[in-house]
Amino acid sequence: MENNAFVPAGSVELAHQQALTWVCDAYLFHLVSMHRRPVYRHQYGDISLDQPAVRGFIDSYLKDKGWDLEKRRAHYINILDLIKYMHRSNSDFIDWGTVPALTPRGIRWMNACFSRLGEMVSSYGGWEGYKTAAGEELLDES
């Protein structure tokens, strides 16, 4: 059996989770390098992010669009700059690893996702207005 680094232990679920983790780490690292903290700067205000928030947001977004597990994993792999990651070396002295990097296209895609989130929240009058509206919609569905 061929040893494929992108499908650990032959499990698409594990490969999906690893690729999603790399994308989230890479995006958060990008944000910290830009703003010294993990925030997306939107015209209406900052969106504070952490890995679970980014993971849940982008994966559920693609899942809601009807993308299956394999298609989502492939998308995550495509927006990562794996060539740079494979040839990584932060230090000549001690190198305990590095965070993967996103391609320029990957950064644009992630920024577009959070920009749309900011626009949606703004249309509800802010985060509290969105939570109230979402809570009402959830109550209406039950």
Short mmCIF file of all heavy atoms in Angstrom, two decimals, residues 53 61 115:
data_model
loop_
_atom_site.label_atom_id
_atom_site.label_comp_id
_atom_site.label_asym_id
_atom_site.label_seq_id
_atom_site.Cartn_x
_atom_site.Cartn_y
_atom_site.Cartn_z
N ALA A 53 -13.15 28.21 16.53
CA ALA A 53 -14.08 29.08 15.80
C ALA A 53 -13.83 29.01 14.30
O ALA A 53 -14.77 28.87 13.50
CB ALA A 53 -13.96 30.52 16.29
N TYR A 61 -19.44 25.97 6.78
CA TYR A 61 -19.78 26.75 5.59
C TYR A 61 -19.73 25.87 4.34
O TYR A 61 -20.68 25.84 3.54
CB TYR A 61 -18.83 27.95 5.46
CG TYR A 61 -18.95 28.70 4.17
CD1 TYR A 61 -20.04 29.51 3.91
CD2 TYR A 61 -17.95 28.61 3.19
CE1 TYR A 61 -20.15 30.21 2.71
CE2 TYR A 61 -18.06 29.29 2.00
CZ TYR A 61 -19.15 30.10 1.76
OH TYR A 61 -19.25 30.78 0.58
N SER A 115 -15.16 38.26 5.71
CA SER A 115 -15.78 39.50 5.27
C SER A 115 -17.28 39.32 5.12
O SER A 115 -18.08 40.17 5.54
CB SER A 115 -15.16 39.95 3.95
OG SER A 115 -15.78 41.14 3.50
#
